């Protein structure tokens, strides 16, 4: 009886070793693919441009506020108490508007960035899935999320994913 159990265990171990040996596994660094693909670079440039435009608008408002404060300080000895309070209330109102504008601008930039990232990530995921089927991989793990501590360069398909996605994206956008 003991020999039968031992042989059954050995048979199962041999069979499981064969099954593992046949697995074809790859890893992909989605963050790297996102950063280095043409769509990611284009999105990054768009976001930088939008950031600069927002910064310019904010700076104009800051300059106006600075001028208003300088004017208020220089006229404080000449203005009546009521006029000072009115100018100060106007200044405070414009300062609140500026703070709100900054918050809204930051929120909008974050929303747009998330939108770009999500769309590109979905497209990259489809490319990875298609490559997995085409190249007959059993498992493709995301390098960062899966906690891969080491992998051979031969199983890293990130460059292939970037190349394939760039071809598809450039075909649609040119």
């Amino acid at each position: 009886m003991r020999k039968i159990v031992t042989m059954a265990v050995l048979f199962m171990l041999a069979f499981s070793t064969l099954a593992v040996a046949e697995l074809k596994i790859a890893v992909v660094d989605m963050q790297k693919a996102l950063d280095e693909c043409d769509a990611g670079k284009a999105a990054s440039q768009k976001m930088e441009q939008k950031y600069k435009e927002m910064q310019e608008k904010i700076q104009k408002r800051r300059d106006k506020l600075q001028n208003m404060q300088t004017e208020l300080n220089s006229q404080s000895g000449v203005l009546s108490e009521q006029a000072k309070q009115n100018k100060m209330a106007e200044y405070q109102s414009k300062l609140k508007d500026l703070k709100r504008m900054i918050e809204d601008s930051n929120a909008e930039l974050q929303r747009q960035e998330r939108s770009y990232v999500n769309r590109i990530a979905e497209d990259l995921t489809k490319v990875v899935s298609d490559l997995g089927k085409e190249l007959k991989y059993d498992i493709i793990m995301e390098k960062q999320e899966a906690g891969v501590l080491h992998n051979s360069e031969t199983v890293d398909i990130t460059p292939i994913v970037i190349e394939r996605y760039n071809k598809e994206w450039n075909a649609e956008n040119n």
Side-chain angles (χ1 to χ4, degrees):
M1 180 70 152
R2 201 171 190 179
K3 285 185 180 184
I4 295 174
V5 171
T6 304
M7 288 186 60
V9 169
L10 288 174
F11 178 74
M12 288 187 336
L13 283 174
F15 182 71
S16 67
T17 303
L18 288 175
V20 170
E22 294 176 21
L23 280 179
K24 190 170 178 183
I25 299 173
V27 296
V28 62
D29 187 337
M30 291 296 277
Q31 185 61 54
K32 180 179 179 181
L34 183 67
D35 293 342
E36 293 182 11
C37 72
D38 293 343
K41 290 175 184 176
S44 181
Q45 287 176 339
K46 286 179 187 174
M47 291 305 300
E48 284 179 34
Q49 182 61 36
K50 289 180 184 207
Y51 177 77
K52 286 179 185 177
E53 290 170 6
M54 298 249 187
Q55 284 300 105
E56 288 172 7
K57 288 179 185 178
I58 290 169
Q59 190 57 47
K60 285 180 184 178
R61 290 246 182 129
R62 282 186 177 144
D63 292 344
K64 286 181 183 178
L65 272 174
Q66 184 64 41
N67 291 339
M68 192 176 197
Q69 186 178 30
T70 302
E71 184 180 309
L72 184 63
N73 290 340
S74 68
Q75 294 178 349
S76 69
V78 181
L79 295 173
S80 68
E81 195 58 39
Q82 184 61 42
K84 281 185 208 177
Q85 287 178 358
N86 289 345
K87 287 226 180 223
M88 190 56 133
E90 182 184 358
Y91 175 80
Q92 292 296 329
S93 174
K94 289 188 186 265
L95 183 61
K96 280 183 185 178
D97 289 345
L98 174 63
K99 288 179 181 178
R100 200 168 312 126
M101 179 186 179
I102 292 170
E103 289 172 2
D104 292 346
S105 296
N106 286 335
E108 177 61 19
L109 286 172
Q110 288 174 351
R111 186 196 65 74
Q112 287 179 354
E113 183 178 29
R114 273 193 311 274
S115 174
Y116 285 137
V117 167
N118 289 341
R119 187 176 23 187
I120 295 168
E122 285 177 19
D123 293 344
L124 284 169
T125 300
K126 183 180 181 321
V127 168
V128 169
S129 179
D130 292 347
L131 272 172
K133 292 172 188 169
E134 179 184 323
L135 300 175
K136 296 182 173 53
Y137 281 103
D138 296 304
I139 299 171
I140 299 177
M141 297 186 299
E142 203 292 320
K143 188 173 186 174
Q144 305 300 323
E145 295 296 321
V148 175
L149 299 176
H150 171 76
N151 63 273
S152 164
E153 290 301 314
T154 60
V155 299
D156 189 347
I157 63 169
T158 305
I160 300 169
V161 170
I162 293 169
E163 180 182 334
R164 176 73 55 91
Y165 182 65
N166 285 346
K167 283 181 186 175
E168 291 178 11
W169 186 78
N170 287 321
E172 290 176 9
N173 293 289
N174 288 329

